[in-house]
Amino acid sequence: MTESTWHKEVKDWGVATEIALGNRRADCLLRCGKRAEIQAHRLAPVEVAGREAHTDLWILDCRAAHARNRLLVWDDPDFGTLFRWNRAWQGFAVAKRPAFLNTKLDISTGRGTFLEVTGWIFDGYRALGSGRLHTAAAMRSWMRYDTPLAPHLVVTP
């Protein structure tokens, strides 16, 4: 399977790519030593569980879901940043590793938004949860230089 432009772009934010781990591999290595699995499509639960043996975090391409209003992100004054993902990738209900949902990314400018999931539950074909928003620049800097992630200040409606 060929990699998408999005997959190649995000993978290249790490300090190394295609990290071999036995008969598996991680997509990229972050400066802090974490291994990231970058995923543009849904996976079966058994595949998610299997990949978690060699990865420390997930970066999921949710741009289409966000653009089609299947992934809604909003700020609640009492609870912070919340999200609802209709027709969520059910395989990730078994995920134990941290996840980042890419809601927007313009490859030509490098601008975009990522939602760091701080908690989620899967209810049928819907995922509900909370998180912290980060700019693409902040994600890139964290992955490449281990710059601490600070919450994004502009909330996506």
PDB file of all heavy atoms in Angstrom, residues 76-101:
ATOM      1  N   ASP A  76     -16.306  23.769  26.035  1.00  0.00           N
ATOM      2  CA  ASP A  76     -17.358  23.866  27.048  1.00  0.00           C
ATOM      3  C   ASP A  76     -16.771  24.611  28.243  1.00  0.00           C
ATOM      4  O   ASP A  76     -15.703  24.238  28.733  1.00  0.00           O
ATOM      5  CB  ASP A  76     -17.818  22.461  27.459  1.00  0.00           C
ATOM      6  CG  ASP A  76     -18.943  22.515  28.463  1.00  0.00           C
ATOM      7  OD1 ASP A  76     -18.657  22.744  29.662  1.00  0.00           O
ATOM      8  OD2 ASP A  76     -20.098  22.325  28.056  1.00  0.00           O
ATOM      9  N   PRO A  77     -17.451  25.663  28.735  1.00  0.00           N
ATOM     10  CA  PRO A  77     -16.874  26.456  29.828  1.00  0.00           C
ATOM     11  C   PRO A  77     -16.653  25.653  31.110  1.00  0.00           C
ATOM     12  O   PRO A  77     -15.773  25.993  31.899  1.00  0.00           O
ATOM     13  CB  PRO A  77     -17.888  27.582  30.044  1.00  0.00           C
ATOM     14  CG  PRO A  77     -19.119  27.172  29.324  1.00  0.00           C
ATOM     15  CD  PRO A  77     -18.732  26.176  28.289  1.00  0.00           C
ATOM     16  N   ASP A  78     -17.407  24.597  31.309  1.00  0.00           N
ATOM     17  CA  ASP A  78     -17.257  23.794  32.526  1.00  0.00           C
ATOM     18  C   ASP A  78     -16.330  22.594  32.358  1.00  0.00           C
ATOM     19  O   ASP A  78     -15.690  22.159  33.321  1.00  0.00           O
ATOM     20  CB  ASP A  78     -18.625  23.294  33.007  1.00  0.00           C
ATOM     21  CG  ASP A  78     -19.534  24.426  33.429  1.00  0.00           C
ATOM     22  OD1 ASP A  78     -19.026  25.412  34.014  1.00  0.00           O
ATOM     23  OD2 ASP A  78     -20.749  24.343  33.159  1.00  0.00           O
ATOM     24  N   PHE A  79     -16.256  22.040  31.160  1.00  0.00           N
ATOM     25  CA  PHE A  79     -15.536  20.786  30.964  1.00  0.00           C
ATOM     26  C   PHE A  79     -14.342  20.869  30.024  1.00  0.00           C
ATOM     27  O   PHE A  79     -13.657  19.882  29.806  1.00  0.00           O
ATOM     28  CB  PHE A  79     -16.505  19.709  30.462  1.00  0.00           C
ATOM     29  CG  PHE A  79     -17.612  19.431  31.428  1.00  0.00           C
ATOM     30  CD1 PHE A  79     -18.892  19.896  31.174  1.00  0.00           C
ATOM     31  CD2 PHE A  79     -17.368  18.733  32.594  1.00  0.00           C
ATOM     32  CE1 PHE A  79     -19.916  19.651  32.059  1.00  0.00           C
ATOM     33  CE2 PHE A  79     -18.383  18.480  33.493  1.00  0.00           C
ATOM     34  CZ  PHE A  79     -19.671  18.938  33.227  1.00  0.00           C
ATOM     35  N   GLY A  80     -14.096  22.020  29.419  1.00  0.00           N
ATOM     36  CA  GLY A  80     -12.962  22.164  28.507  1.00  0.00           C
ATOM     37  C   GLY A  80     -13.311  21.749  27.090  1.00  0.00           C
ATOM     38  O   GLY A  80     -14.452  21.850  26.659  1.00  0.00           O
ATOM     39  N   THR A  81     -12.338  21.255  26.375  1.00  0.00           N
ATOM     40  CA  THR A  81     -12.533  20.862  24.980  1.00  0.00           C
ATOM     41  C   THR A  81     -13.146  19.465  24.922  1.00  0.00           C
ATOM     42  O   THR A  81     -12.615  18.516  25.495  1.00  0.00           O
ATOM     43  CB  THR A  81     -11.203  20.889  24.217  1.00  0.00           C
ATOM     44  OG1 THR A  81     -10.654  22.214  24.305  1.00  0.00           O
ATOM     45  CG2 THR A  81     -11.398  20.537  22.756  1.00  0.00           C
ATOM     46  N   LEU A  82     -14.262  19.361  24.218  1.00  0.00           N
ATOM     47  CA  LEU A  82     -14.988  18.096  24.077  1.00  0.00           C
ATOM     48  C   LEU A  82     -15.104  17.749  22.597  1.00  0.00           C
ATOM     49  O   LEU A  82     -14.975  18.618  21.733  1.00  0.00           O
ATOM     50  CB  LEU A  82     -16.390  18.217  24.681  1.00  0.00           C
ATOM     51  CG  LEU A  82     -16.456  18.604  26.157  1.00  0.00           C
ATOM     52  CD1 LEU A  82     -17.908  18.785  26.583  1.00  0.00           C
ATOM     53  CD2 LEU A  82     -15.756  17.569  27.022  1.00  0.00           C
ATOM     54  N   PHE A  83     -15.356  16.475  22.323  1.00  0.00           N
ATOM     55  CA  PHE A  83     -15.571  16.083  20.935  1.00  0.00           C
ATOM     56  C   PHE A  83     -16.575  14.940  20.843  1.00  0.00           C
ATOM     57  O   PHE A  83     -16.782  14.188  21.797  1.00  0.00           O
ATOM     58  CB  PHE A  83     -14.251  15.700  20.242  1.00  0.00           C
ATOM     59  CG  PHE A  83     -13.647  14.403  20.698  1.00  0.00           C
ATOM     60  CD1 PHE A  83     -13.952  13.207  20.058  1.00  0.00           C
ATOM     61  CD2 PHE A  83     -12.757  14.364  21.753  1.00  0.00           C
ATOM     62  CE1 PHE A  83     -13.384  12.015  20.454  1.00  0.00           C
ATOM     63  CE2 PHE A  83     -12.182  13.187  22.172  1.00  0.00           C
ATOM     64  CZ  PHE A  83     -12.505  11.998  21.516  1.00  0.00           C
ATOM     65  N   ARG A  84     -17.175  14.855  19.666  1.00  0.00           N
ATOM     66  CA  ARG A  84     -18.062  13.747  19.302  1.00  0.00           C
ATOM     67  C   ARG A  84     -17.672  13.326  17.891  1.00  0.00           C
ATOM     68  O   ARG A  84     -17.649  14.140  16.973  1.00  0.00           O
ATOM     69  CB  ARG A  84     -19.525  14.169  19.335  1.00  0.00           C
ATOM     70  CG  ARG A  84     -20.462  12.987  18.988  1.00  0.00           C
ATOM     71  CD  ARG A  84     -21.921  13.378  19.009  1.00  0.00           C
ATOM     72  NE  ARG A  84     -22.220  14.175  17.821  1.00  0.00           N
ATOM     73  CZ  ARG A  84     -22.934  15.295  17.835  1.00  0.00           C
ATOM     74  NH1 ARG A  84     -23.448  15.765  18.956  1.00  0.00           N
ATOM     75  NH2 ARG A  84     -23.144  15.963  16.725  1.00  0.00           N
ATOM     76  N   TRP A  85     -17.374  12.037  17.733  1.00  0.00           N
ATOM     77  CA  TRP A  85     -16.951  11.505  16.450  1.00  0.00           C
ATOM     78  C   TRP A  85     -17.970  10.458  16.028  1.00  0.00           C
ATOM     79  O   TRP A  85     -17.985   9.341  16.534  1.00  0.00           O
ATOM     80  CB  TRP A  85     -15.567  10.905  16.578  1.00  0.00           C
ATOM     81  CG  TRP A  85     -14.934  10.392  15.323  1.00  0.00           C
ATOM     82  CD1 TRP A  85     -15.393  10.498  14.063  1.00  0.00           C
ATOM     83  CD2 TRP A  85     -13.701   9.677  15.254  1.00  0.00           C
ATOM     84  NE1 TRP A  85     -14.524   9.891  13.176  1.00  0.00           N
ATOM     85  CE2 TRP A  85     -13.474   9.376  13.886  1.00  0.00           C
ATOM     86  CE3 TRP A  85     -12.769   9.261  16.188  1.00  0.00           C
ATOM     87  CZ2 TRP A  85     -12.351   8.679  13.461  1.00  0.00           C
ATOM     88  CZ3 TRP A  85     -11.657   8.570  15.757  1.00  0.00           C
ATOM     89  CH2 TRP A  85     -11.448   8.287  14.407  1.00  0.00           C
ATOM     90  N   ASN A  86     -18.853  10.822  15.107  1.00  0.00           N
ATOM     91  CA  ASN A  86     -19.838   9.886  14.562  1.00  0.00           C
ATOM     92  C   ASN A  86     -19.166   9.003  13.527  1.00  0.00           C
ATOM     93  O   ASN A  86     -18.330   9.462  12.758  1.00  0.00           O
ATOM     94  CB  ASN A  86     -21.008  10.637  13.940  1.00  0.00           C
ATOM     95  CG  ASN A  86     -21.827  11.355  14.983  1.00  0.00           C
ATOM     96  OD1 ASN A  86     -22.007  10.866  16.091  1.00  0.00           O
ATOM     97  ND2 ASN A  86     -22.308  12.540  14.642  1.00  0.00           N
ATOM     98  N   ARG A  87     -19.561   7.749  13.490  1.00  0.00           N
ATOM     99  CA  ARG A  87     -18.934   6.742  12.630  1.00  0.00           C
ATOM    100  C   ARG A  87     -17.435   6.684  12.880  1.00  0.00           C
ATOM    101  O   ARG A  87     -16.616   6.635  11.959  1.00  0.00           O
ATOM    102  CB  ARG A  87     -19.255   6.993  11.161  1.00  0.00           C
ATOM    103  CG  ARG A  87     -20.726   6.716  10.867  1.00  0.00           C
ATOM    104  CD  ARG A  87     -21.043   6.820   9.410  1.00  0.00           C
ATOM    105  NE  ARG A  87     -21.148   8.239   9.066  1.00  0.00           N
ATOM    106  CZ  ARG A  87     -21.088   8.725   7.854  1.00  0.00           C
ATOM    107  NH1 ARG A  87     -20.942   7.938   6.830  1.00  0.00           N
ATOM    108  NH2 ARG A  87     -21.189  10.006   7.629  1.00  0.00           N
ATOM    109  N   ALA A  88     -17.092   6.674  14.157  1.00  0.00           N
ATOM    110  CA  ALA A  88     -15.686   6.601  14.578  1.00  0.00           C
ATOM    111  C   ALA A  88     -15.085   5.259  14.170  1.00  0.00           C
ATOM    112  O   ALA A  88     -15.801   4.290  13.941  1.00  0.00           O
ATOM    113  CB  ALA A  88     -15.590   6.785  16.090  1.00  0.00           C
ATOM    114  N   TRP A  89     -13.786   5.196  14.108  1.00  0.00           N
ATOM    115  CA  TRP A  89     -13.077   3.975  13.780  1.00  0.00           C
ATOM    116  C   TRP A  89     -13.140   3.047  14.990  1.00  0.00           C
ATOM    117  O   TRP A  89     -12.372   3.176  15.939  1.00  0.00           O
ATOM    118  CB  TRP A  89     -11.648   4.285  13.396  1.00  0.00           C
ATOM    119  CG  TRP A  89     -11.512   5.146  12.168  1.00  0.00           C
ATOM    120  CD1 TRP A  89     -12.490   5.474  11.275  1.00  0.00           C
ATOM    121  CD2 TRP A  89     -10.328   5.782  11.714  1.00  0.00           C
ATOM    122  NE1 TRP A  89     -11.977   6.272  10.287  1.00  0.00           N
ATOM    123  CE2 TRP A  89     -10.648   6.481  10.528  1.00  0.00           C
ATOM    124  CE3 TRP A  89      -9.024   5.845  12.181  1.00  0.00           C
ATOM    125  CZ2 TRP A  89      -9.715   7.218   9.815  1.00  0.00           C
ATOM    126  CZ3 TRP A  89      -8.100   6.570  11.475  1.00  0.00           C
ATOM    127  CH2 TRP A  89      -8.434   7.248  10.296  1.00  0.00           C
ATOM    128  N   GLN A  90     -14.068   2.105  14.968  1.00  0.00           N
ATOM    129  CA  GLN A  90     -14.371   1.245  16.110  1.00  0.00           C
ATOM    130  C   GLN A  90     -13.186   0.425  16.603  1.00  0.00           C
ATOM    131  O   GLN A  90     -13.133   0.071  17.768  1.00  0.00           O
ATOM    132  CB  GLN A  90     -15.543   0.314  15.772  1.00  0.00           C
ATOM    133  CG  GLN A  90     -16.843   1.051  15.559  1.00  0.00           C
ATOM    134  CD  GLN A  90     -17.223   1.873  16.768  1.00  0.00           C
ATOM    135  OE1 GLN A  90     -17.405   1.331  17.849  1.00  0.00           O
ATOM    136  NE2 GLN A  90     -17.321   3.169  16.606  1.00  0.00           N
ATOM    137  N   GLY A  91     -12.258   0.102  15.742  1.00  0.00           N
ATOM    138  CA  GLY A  91     -11.087  -0.662  16.164  1.00  0.00           C
ATOM    139  C   GLY A  91     -10.307   0.023  17.263  1.00  0.00           C
ATOM    140  O   GLY A  91      -9.655  -0.626  18.085  1.00  0.00           O
ATOM    141  N   PHE A  92     -10.402   1.346  17.332  1.00  0.00           N
ATOM    142  CA  PHE A  92      -9.637   2.099  18.331  1.00  0.00           C
ATOM    143  C   PHE A  92     -10.296   2.088  19.714  1.00  0.00           C
ATOM    144  O   PHE A  92      -9.738   2.602  20.666  1.00  0.00           O
ATOM    145  CB  PHE A  92      -9.346   3.522  17.835  1.00  0.00           C
ATOM    146  CG  PHE A  92      -8.277   3.507  16.785  1.00  0.00           C
ATOM    147  CD1 PHE A  92      -8.604   3.421  15.446  1.00  0.00           C
ATOM    148  CD2 PHE A  92      -6.944   3.517  17.135  1.00  0.00           C
ATOM    149  CE1 PHE A  92      -7.625   3.346  14.468  1.00  0.00           C
ATOM    150  CE2 PHE A  92      -5.952   3.441  16.179  1.00  0.00           C
ATOM    151  CZ  PHE A  92      -6.287   3.359  14.831  1.00  0.00           C
ATOM    152  N   ALA A  93     -11.446   1.440  19.824  1.00  0.00           N
ATOM    153  CA  ALA A  93     -12.068   1.278  21.143  1.00  0.00           C
ATOM    154  C   ALA A  93     -11.176   0.431  22.051  1.00  0.00           C
ATOM    155  O   ALA A  93     -11.255   0.540  23.272  1.00  0.00           O
ATOM    156  CB  ALA A  93     -13.453   0.652  21.012  1.00  0.00           C
ATOM    157  N   VAL A  94     -10.307  -0.397  21.469  1.00  0.00           N
ATOM    158  CA  VAL A  94      -9.412  -1.239  22.267  1.00  0.00           C
ATOM    159  C   VAL A  94      -8.061  -0.570  22.518  1.00  0.00           C
ATOM    160  O   VAL A  94      -7.226  -1.112  23.241  1.00  0.00           O
ATOM    161  CB  VAL A  94      -9.191  -2.626  21.612  1.00  0.00           C
ATOM    162  CG1 VAL A  94     -10.508  -3.346  21.414  1.00  0.00           C
ATOM    163  CG2 VAL A  94      -8.412  -2.503  20.312  1.00  0.00           C
ATOM    164  N   ALA A  95      -7.832   0.604  21.926  1.00  0.00           N
ATOM    165  CA  ALA A  95      -6.539   1.284  22.059  1.00  0.00           C
ATOM    166  C   ALA A  95      -6.282   1.685  23.505  1.00  0.00           C
ATOM    167  O   ALA A  95      -7.156   2.211  24.186  1.00  0.00           O
ATOM    168  CB  ALA A  95      -6.489   2.508  21.154  1.00  0.00           C
ATOM    169  N   LYS A  96      -5.072   1.445  23.932  1.00  0.00           N
ATOM    170  CA  LYS A  96      -4.636   1.838  25.277  1.00  0.00           C
ATOM    171  C   LYS A  96      -3.642   3.004  25.222  1.00  0.00           C
ATOM    172  O   LYS A  96      -3.416   3.678  26.205  1.00  0.00           O
ATOM    173  CB  LYS A  96      -3.958   0.655  25.974  1.00  0.00           C
ATOM    174  CG  LYS A  96      -4.793  -0.595  26.021  1.00  0.00           C
ATOM    175  CD  LYS A  96      -5.680  -0.606  27.229  1.00  0.00           C
ATOM    176  CE  LYS A  96      -6.369  -1.926  27.395  1.00  0.00           C
ATOM    177  NZ  LYS A  96      -7.695  -1.976  26.860  1.00  0.00           N
ATOM    178  N   ARG A  97      -3.044   3.195  24.071  1.00  0.00           N
ATOM    179  CA  ARG A  97      -2.025   4.242  23.905  1.00  0.00           C
ATOM    180  C   ARG A  97      -2.689   5.592  23.636  1.00  0.00           C
ATOM    181  O   ARG A  97      -3.803   5.657  23.123  1.00  0.00           O
ATOM    182  CB  ARG A  97      -1.109   3.896  22.737  1.00  0.00           C
ATOM    183  CG  ARG A  97      -0.468   2.538  22.817  1.00  0.00           C
ATOM    184  CD  ARG A  97       0.587   2.498  23.871  1.00  0.00           C
ATOM    185  NE  ARG A  97       1.311   1.227  23.780  1.00  0.00           N
ATOM    186  CZ  ARG A  97       2.058   0.757  24.732  1.00  0.00           C
ATOM    187  NH1 ARG A  97       2.210   1.436  25.853  1.00  0.00           N
ATOM    188  NH2 ARG A  97       2.681  -0.388  24.603  1.00  0.00           N
ATOM    189  N   PRO A  98      -1.990   6.691  23.966  1.00  0.00           N
ATOM    190  CA  PRO A  98      -2.528   8.028  23.669  1.00  0.00           C
ATOM    191  C   PRO A  98      -2.800   8.205  22.173  1.00  0.00           C
ATOM    192  O   PRO A  98      -2.116   7.616  21.333  1.00  0.00           O
ATOM    193  CB  PRO A  98      -1.409   8.970  24.116  1.00  0.00           C
ATOM    194  CG  PRO A  98      -0.600   8.184  25.095  1.00  0.00           C
ATOM    195  CD  PRO A  98      -0.692   6.748  24.639  1.00  0.00           C
ATOM    196  N   ALA A  99      -3.799   9.034  21.872  1.00  0.00           N
ATOM    197  CA  ALA A  99      -4.176   9.293  20.481  1.00  0.00           C
ATOM    198  C   ALA A  99      -4.260  10.792  20.222  1.00  0.00           C
ATOM    199  O   ALA A  99      -4.684  11.559  21.091  1.00  0.00           O
ATOM    200  CB  ALA A  99      -5.508   8.632  20.159  1.00  0.00           C
ATOM    201  N   PHE A 100      -3.852  11.173  19.022  1.00  0.00           N
ATOM    202  CA  PHE A 100      -3.964  12.538  18.536  1.00  0.00           C
ATOM    203  C   PHE A 100      -4.780  12.473  17.256  1.00  0.00           C
ATOM    204  O   PHE A 100      -4.448  11.706  16.346  1.00  0.00           O
ATOM    205  CB  PHE A 100      -2.587  13.137  18.239  1.00  0.00           C
ATOM    206  CG  PHE A 100      -1.746  13.355  19.454  1.00  0.00           C
ATOM    207  CD1 PHE A 100      -1.028  12.306  20.009  1.00  0.00           C
ATOM    208  CD2 PHE A 100      -1.686  14.597  20.058  1.00  0.00           C
ATOM    209  CE1 PHE A 100      -0.246  12.497  21.130  1.00  0.00           C
ATOM    210  CE2 PHE A 100      -0.910  14.796  21.193  1.00  0.00           C
ATOM    211  CZ  PHE A 100      -0.186  13.749  21.735  1.00  0.00           C
ATOM    212  N   LEU A 101      -5.849  13.260  17.180  1.00  0.00           N
ATOM    213  CA  LEU A 101      -6.718  13.289  16.012  1.00  0.00           C
ATOM    214  C   LEU A 101      -6.400  14.536  15.193  1.00  0.00           C
ATOM    215  O   LEU A 101      -6.559  15.652  15.682  1.00  0.00           O
ATOM    216  CB  LEU A 101      -8.188  13.310  16.437  1.00  0.00           C
ATOM    217  CG  LEU A 101      -8.638  12.276  17.464  1.00  0.00           C
ATOM    218  CD1 LEU A 101     -10.134  12.435  17.752  1.00  0.00           C
ATOM    219  CD2 LEU A 101      -8.302  10.872  17.018  1.00  0.00           C
TER     220      LEU A 101
END
